[in-house]
Coordinates of all heavy atoms in Angstrom, one line a residue:
Chain D
F79 N 18.2 126.5 164.3 CA 18.5 127.8 164.9 C 17.7 128.0 166.1 O 16.6 127.3 166.3 CB 18.2 128.9 163.8 CG 16.8 129.0 163.5 CD1 15.9 129.9 164.1 CD2 16.2 128.2 162.5 CE1 14.6 130.0 163.8 CE2 14.9 128.2 162.2 CZ 14.1 129.2 162.8
P80 N 18.1 128.9 167.0 CA 17.3 129.1 168.2 C 15.9 129.7 167.9 O 15.8 130.6 167.0 CB 18.1 130.1 169.0 CG 19.5 130.2 168.4 CD 19.3 129.7 166.9
V81 N 15.0 129.3 168.6 CA 13.6 129.6 168.1 C 13.3 131.1 168.2 O 12.5 131.7 167.4 CB 12.6 128.8 169.0 CG1 12.6 129.2 170.5 CG2 11.2 128.9 168.4
E82 N 14.0 131.8 169.1 CA 13.6 133.2 169.3 C 14.3 134.1 168.3 O 14.2 135.3 168.3 CB 13.9 133.7 170.7 CG 15.4 133.8 171.1 CD 16.0 132.5 171.5 OE1 15.3 131.4 171.4 OE2 17.2 132.4 171.8
Q83 N 15.1 133.4 167.4 CA 15.8 134.2 166.4 C 15.1 134.0 165.0 O 15.8 134.1 164.0 CB 17.3 133.8 166.3 CG 17.9 134.2 167.6 CD 19.4 134.0 167.5 OE1 20.0 133.6 166.5 NE2 20.1 134.3 168.6
Y84 N 13.9 133.7 165.0 CA 13.2 133.4 163.8 C 13.4 134.5 162.7 O 13.8 134.3 161.6 CB 11.7 133.3 164.0 CG 10.8 133.0 162.8 CD1 10.5 131.7 162.4 CD2 10.3 134.0 162.1 CE1 9.7 131.5 161.4 CE2 9.4 133.8 161.0 CZ 9.2 132.5 160.6 OH 8.4 132.3 159.6
Y85 N 13.2 135.7 163.2 CA 13.2 136.9 162.2 C 14.7 137.2 161.8 O 14.9 137.9 160.8 CB 12.6 138.1 162.8 CG 11.0 137.9 162.7 CD1 10.3 137.5 163.8 CD2 10.4 138.1 161.5 CE1 8.9 137.3 163.7 CE2 9.0 137.9 161.4 CZ 8.3 137.5 162.5 OH 7.0 137.3 162.4
R86 N 15.6 136.7 162.5 CA 17.0 137.0 162.1 C 17.3 136.3 160.8 O 18.0 136.8 160.0 CB 17.9 136.5 163.2 CG 19.3 136.7 163.0 CD 20.1 136.3 164.2 NE 21.5 136.7 164.0 CZ 22.4 136.5 164.9 NH1 22.2 135.8 166.0 NH2 23.6 136.9 164.7
F87 N 16.8 135.1 160.6 CA 17.0 134.3 159.4 C 15.9 134.3 158.5 O 15.8 133.5 157.5 CB 17.5 132.9 159.8 CG 18.6 132.9 160.8 CD1 18.4 132.6 162.2 CD2 19.9 133.3 160.4 CE1 19.5 132.6 163.0 CE2 21.0 133.2 161.3 CZ 20.7 132.9 162.6
H88 N 14.8 135.1 158.8 CA 13.6 135.0 158.1 C 13.8 135.1 156.6 O 13.1 134.4 155.8 CB 12.7 136.2 158.5 CG 11.3 136.2 158.1 ND1 10.4 137.2 158.2 CD2 10.6 135.2 157.5 CE1 9.3 136.8 157.7 NE2 9.4 135.6 157.2
E89 N 14.7 135.9 156.1 CA 14.9 136.1 154.7 C 15.2 134.8 153.9 O 14.9 134.7 152.8 CB 16.0 137.1 154.4 CG 15.6 138.6 154.7 CD 14.3 139.0 154.1 OE1 14.2 138.8 152.8 OE2 13.4 139.6 154.7
H90 N 15.8 133.9 154.6 CA 16.2 132.7 154.0 C 15.1 131.9 153.5 O 15.1 131.2 152.5 CB 17.1 131.8 154.9 CG 18.4 132.4 155.1 ND1 19.4 132.6 154.2 CD2 19.0 133.0 156.2 CE1 20.4 133.2 154.7 NE2 20.3 133.5 155.9
W91 N 14.0 131.8 154.3 CA 12.9 131.0 153.9 C 11.6 131.7 153.6 O 10.6 131.1 153.4 CB 12.6 129.9 155.1 CG 12.3 130.6 156.3 CD1 11.1 131.2 156.7 CD2 13.1 130.6 157.5 NE1 11.2 131.7 158.0 CE2 12.5 131.3 158.5 CE3 14.4 130.1 157.8 CZ2 13.0 131.6 159.8 CZ3 15.0 130.4 159.0 CH2 14.3 131.1 160.0
R92 N 11.7 133.0 153.7 CA 10.5 133.8 153.4 C 9.9 133.5 152.0 O 8.7 133.2 151.9 CB 10.9 135.3 153.4 CG 9.8 136.2 153.1 CD 10.1 137.6 153.3 NE 9.1 138.2 154.2 CZ 9.3 139.3 155.0 NH1 10.4 139.9 155.0 NH2 8.3 139.7 155.7
F93 N 10.7 133.4 151.0 CA 10.3 133.2 149.7 C 9.6 131.9 149.6 O 8.5 131.8 149.1 CB 11.4 133.3 148.7 CG 11.0 133.1 147.3 CD1 10.3 134.0 146.5 CD2 11.3 131.9 146.6 CE1 10.0 133.8 145.2 CE2 11.0 131.6 145.3 CZ 10.3 132.6 144.6
V94 N 10.3 130.9 150.0 CA 9.7 129.5 149.8 C 8.5 129.3 150.7 O 7.5 128.6 150.3 CB 10.9 128.4 150.1 CG1 11.1 128.3 151.6 CG2 10.4 127.1 149.6
L95 N 8.5 129.9 151.8 CA 7.3 129.7 152.7 C 6.0 130.4 152.1 O 5.0 129.9 152.1 CB 7.6 130.4 154.1 CG 6.9 129.7 155.3 CD1 7.3 128.2 155.3 CD2 7.3 130.4 156.5
Q96 N 6.3 131.5 151.3 CA 5.2 132.2 150.6 C 4.7 131.3 149.5 O 3.5 131.1 149.3 CB 5.6 133.5 150.0 CG 5.8 134.6 151.1 CD 6.4 135.9 150.5 OE1 6.6 136.0 149.3 NE2 6.5 136.9 151.4
R97 N 5.6 130.6 148.8 CA 5.2 129.7 147.7 C 4.4 128.6 148.3 O 3.4 128.1 147.7 CB 6.4 129.2 147.0 CG 7.0 130.3 146.1 CD 7.6 129.7 144.9 NE 6.7 129.4 143.8 CZ 6.2 130.3 143.0 NH1 6.4 131.6 143.2 NH2 5.3 129.9 142.1
L98 N 4.9 128.0 149.4 CA 4.2 126.9 150.0 C 2.8 127.3 150.5 O 1.9 126.6 150.4 CB 5.1 126.3 151.2 CG 6.3 125.6 150.7 CD1 7.2 125.3 151.9 CD2 5.9 124.3 150.1
A99 N 2.8 128.5 151.1 CA 1.4 129.0 151.5 C 0.5 129.1 150.3 O -0.7 128.8 150.4 CB 1.5 130.4 152.2
F100 N 1.0 129.6 149.2 CA 0.3 129.6 148.0 C -0.2 128.2 147.6 O -1.4 128.1 147.3 CB 1.1 130.3 146.8 CG 0.8 129.8 145.5 CD1 -0.5 129.9 144.9 CD2 1.8 129.2 144.7 CE1 -0.7 129.4 143.6 CE2 1.6 128.7 143.5 CZ 0.3 128.8 142.9
L101 N 0.7 127.3 147.6 CA 0.4 125.9 147.2 C -0.7 125.4 148.0 O -1.7 124.7 147.6 CB 1.6 125.1 147.1 CG 2.6 125.5 146.0 CD1 3.9 124.8 146.3 CD2 2.1 125.2 144.7
A102 N -0.6 125.6 149.3 CA -1.5 125.0 150.3 C -2.9 125.7 150.1 O -3.9 125.0 150.0 CB -1.1 125.3 151.7
S103 N -2.9 127.0 149.9 CA -4.2 127.6 149.7 C -4.8 127.3 148.4 O -6.0 127.2 148.2 CB -4.1 129.1 149.9 OG -3.0 129.6 149.1
F104 N -4.0 127.0 147.4 CA -4.5 126.6 146.0 C -5.2 125.2 146.2 O -6.3 125.0 145.6 CB -3.4 126.6 145.1 CG -3.8 126.5 143.6 CD1 -4.9 127.2 143.2 CD2 -3.1 125.8 142.7 CE1 -5.3 127.2 141.8 CE2 -3.4 125.7 141.4 CZ -4.5 126.4 141.0
V105 N -4.5 124.3 146.8 CA -5.1 123.0 147.0 C -6.4 123.1 147.7 O -7.4 122.5 147.3 CB -4.1 122.1 147.8 CG1 -4.8 120.8 148.3 CG2 -2.9 121.7 147.0
V106 N -6.4 123.9 148.8 CA -7.7 124.0 149.6 C -8.7 124.6 148.7 O -9.9 124.2 148.8 CB -7.4 124.8 150.8 CG1 -8.7 125.1 151.5 CG2 -6.5 124.0 151.8
Y107 N -8.3 125.6 147.9 CA -9.4 126.2 147.0 C -9.9 125.2 146.1 O -11.1 125.1 145.9 CB -8.8 127.4 146.3 CG -9.9 128.0 145.4 CD1 -10.8 128.9 145.9 CD2 -10.0 127.7 144.0 CE1 -11.9 129.3 145.1 CE2 -11.0 128.2 143.2 CZ -11.9 129.0 143.7 OH -12.9 129.4 143.0
L108 N -9.0 124.4 145.4 CA -9.5 123.4 144.5 C -10.4 122.4 145.1 O -11.3 121.9 144.5 CB -8.3 122.8 143.8 CG -7.4 123.6 142.9 CD1 -6.2 122.9 142.4 CD2 -8.3 124.1 141.7
E109 N -10.2 122.1 146.4 CA -11.0 121.1 147.0 C -12.3 121.6 147.5 O -13.3 121.0 147.3 CB -10.2 120.6 148.3 CG -9.1 119.6 147.9 CD -8.2 119.3 149.2 OE1 -8.4 120.0 150.2 OE2 -7.3 118.5 149.0
T110 N -12.2 122.8 148.1 CA -13.5 123.3 148.7 C -14.0 124.6 148.2 O -15.1 125.1 148.6 CB -13.3 123.5 150.2 OG1 -12.3 124.6 150.4 CG2 -12.7 122.2 150.9
E111 N -13.2 125.2 147.3 CA -13.5 126.6 146.7 C -13.8 127.6 147.8 O -14.7 128.4 147.7 CB -14.8 126.5 145.8 CG -14.6 125.5 144.7 CD -15.3 125.8 143.4 OE1 -16.1 126.7 143.4 OE2 -14.8 125.3 142.3
S112 N -12.9 127.6 148.8 CA -13.0 128.6 149.9 C -11.6 129.0 150.2 O -10.6 128.3 149.9 CB -13.7 128.1 151.0 OG -13.0 127.0 151.6
L113 N -11.5 130.1 151.0 CA -10.2 130.6 151.4 C -9.7 129.8 152.5 O -10.4 129.6 153.5 CB -10.3 132.1 151.7 CG -9.0 132.7 152.2 CD1 -8.0 132.8 151.1 CD2 -9.3 134.1 152.8
V114 N -8.5 129.4 152.4 CA -7.8 128.7 153.5 C -7.6 129.6 154.7 O -7.3 130.8 154.5 CB -6.6 128.0 153.0 CG1 -5.5 129.1 152.7 CG2 -6.0 127.0 153.9
T115 N -7.7 129.1 155.9 CA -7.4 130.0 157.0 C -5.9 129.8 157.3 O -5.3 128.9 156.8 CB -8.1 129.6 158.3 OG1 -7.8 128.2 158.6 CG2 -9.7 129.6 158.1
R116 N -5.4 130.8 158.0 CA -4.0 130.8 158.4 C -3.7 129.5 159.2 O -2.7 128.9 159.1 CB -3.6 132.0 159.2 CG -2.2 132.1 159.5 CD -1.8 133.5 159.8 NE -2.7 134.2 160.7 CZ -2.3 135.0 161.7 NH1 -1.0 135.2 161.9 NH2 -3.2 135.6 162.4
E117 N -4.6 129.1 160.1 CA -4.4 127.9 160.9 C -4.3 126.7 160.0 O -3.4 125.9 160.3 CB -5.6 127.8 161.9 CG -5.7 128.8 163.0 CD -6.2 130.2 162.5 OE1 -6.7 130.2 161.4 OE2 -5.9 131.2 163.2
E118 N -5.1 126.6 159.0 CA -5.1 125.5 158.2 C -3.8 125.4 157.4 O -3.2 124.3 157.3 CB -6.3 125.6 157.1 CG -7.1 124.4 157.0 CD -8.3 124.7 156.2 OE1 -9.0 125.7 156.4 OE2 -8.6 123.9 155.2
V119 N -3.3 126.5 156.9 CA -2.0 126.5 156.2 C -0.9 126.1 157.1 O -0.1 125.2 156.8 CB -1.7 128.0 155.6 CG1 -0.3 127.9 154.9 CG2 -2.7 128.4 154.7
A120 N -1.0 126.6 158.3 CA 0.0 126.2 159.3 C 0.0 124.7 159.5 O 1.1 124.1 159.7 CB -0.2 127.0 160.6
K121 N -1.2 124.2 159.6 CA -1.3 122.7 159.8 C -0.8 122.0 158.6 O -0.1 121.0 158.8 CB -2.8 122.4 160.0 CG -3.0 121.2 161.0 CD -4.4 121.0 161.2 CE -4.8 119.6 160.8 NZ -6.2 119.4 160.5
I122 N -1.1 122.4 157.4 CA -0.6 121.7 156.2 C 0.9 121.7 156.1 O 1.5 120.7 155.8 CB -1.3 122.3 154.9 CG1 -2.7 122.0 154.9 CG2 -0.6 121.7 153.7 CD1 -3.5 122.8 153.8
L123 N 1.5 122.8 156.5 CA 2.9 123.0 156.4 C 3.6 122.4 157.6 O 4.9 122.3 157.6 CB 3.3 124.5 156.2 CG 2.7 125.1 155.0 CD1 3.3 126.5 154.8 CD2 3.0 124.4 153.7
G124 N 2.9 122.2 158.7 CA 3.6 121.7 159.9 C 4.3 122.9 160.6 O 5.3 122.7 161.2
T125 N 3.7 124.1 160.6 CA 4.3 125.2 161.4 C 3.3 125.6 162.5 O 2.2 125.1 162.5 CB 4.6 126.4 160.5 OG1 3.3 126.8 160.0 CG2 5.5 126.1 159.4
E126 N 3.7 126.4 163.3 CA 2.8 127.0 164.3 C 2.1 128.2 163.8 O 2.5 128.8 162.8 CB 3.6 127.4 165.6 CG 4.5 126.3 166.1 CD 3.7 125.2 166.8 OE1 2.6 125.4 167.1 OE2 4.2 124.1 166.9
V127 N 1.0 128.6 164.5 CA 0.3 129.8 164.2 C 0.9 131.0 164.9 O 1.1 132.1 164.4 CB -1.2 129.7 164.4 CG1 -1.9 130.9 164.0 CG2 -1.7 128.5 163.7
N128 N 1.2 130.8 166.2 CA 1.7 131.9 167.0 C 3.2 131.8 167.1 O 3.8 130.8 167.2 CB 1.1 131.8 168.4 CG -0.4 132.0 168.4 OD1 -0.9 132.8 167.6 ND2 -1.1 131.2 169.2
R129 N 3.7 133.1 167.1 CA 5.2 133.2 167.2 C 5.7 132.6 168.5 O 6.8 132.0 168.5 CB 5.5 134.7 167.2 CG 7.0 135.0 167.1 CD 7.2 136.5 167.0 NE 6.9 137.1 168.3 CZ 7.6 137.1 169.4 NH1 8.8 136.5 169.3 NH2 7.3 137.7 170.5
E130 N 4.9 132.7 169.6 CA 5.4 132.2 170.9 C 5.7 130.7 170.8 O 6.6 130.2 171.6 CB 4.4 132.5 172.0 CG 4.3 134.0 172.3 CD 3.6 134.8 171.4 OE1 2.8 134.2 170.6 OE2 3.7 136.1 171.4
K131 N 5.0 130.0 170.0 CA 5.1 128.5 170.1 C 6.2 128.0 169.2 O 6.5 126.8 169.2 CB 3.8 127.9 169.6 CG 2.7 128.2 170.6 CD 1.6 127.1 170.5 CE 0.4 127.4 171.5 NZ -0.8 127.7 170.8
G132 N 6.9 128.8 168.5 CA 8.0 128.3 167.7 C 7.9 128.7 166.2 O 7.4 129.7 165.9
F133 N 8.4 127.8 165.4 CA 8.5 128.1 163.9 C 7.1 128.4 163.4 O 6.3 127.5 163.4 CB 9.1 127.0 163.2 CG 9.5 127.4 161.8 CD1 10.8 127.8 161.5 CD2 8.7 127.3 160.8 CE1 11.2 128.2 160.3 CE2 9.0 127.6 159.5 CZ 10.3 128.1 159.2
H134 N 6.8 129.6 163.0 CA 5.4 129.9 162.7 C 5.4 130.5 161.2 O 6.4 130.7 160.6 CB 4.8 130.9 163.6 CG 5.6 132.3 163.5 ND1 6.8 132.5 164.0 CD2 5.2 133.4 163.1 CE1 7.1 133.7 163.8 NE2 6.2 134.3 163.2
L135 N 4.2 130.7 160.8 CA 3.9 131.3 159.5 C 3.6 132.7 159.7 O 2.5 133.0 160.3 CB 2.8 130.6 158.8 CG 2.4 131.1 157.4 CD1 3.5 130.9 156.4 CD2 1.1 130.4 156.9
D136 N 4.4 133.6 159.3 CA 4.2 135.0 159.5 C 2.9 135.5 158.7 O 2.7 135.0 157.6 CB 5.4 135.8 158.9 CG 5.3 137.3 159.3 OD1 4.7 138.0 158.6 OD2 5.8 137.6 160.4

Side-chain angles (χ1 to χ4, degrees):
Chain D
F79 64 96
V81 67
E82 71 280 1
Q83 297 188 357
Y84 180 91
Y85 284 99
R86 182 171 188 184
F87 306 107
H88 191 190
E89 288 305 315
H90 290 292
W91 57 74
R92 176 170 235 161
F93 178 76
V94 73
L95 214 55
Q96 288 178 0
R97 287 213 81 77
L98 288 168
F100 148 58
L101 293 167
S103 48
F104 194 38
V105 167
V106 171
Y107 179 79
L108 290 173
E109 284 168 353
T110 65
E111 305 214 340
S112 64
L113 178 67
V114 69
T115 61
R116 186 159 44 139
E117 288 74 20
E118 229 172 313
V119 179
K121 211 176 121 210
I122 293 172
L123 303 184
T125 63
E126 304 292 340
V127 182
N128 296 321
R129 189 178 67 79
E130 286 78 15
K131 290 203 184 116
F133 194 94
H134 66 289
L135 177 67
D136 190 272

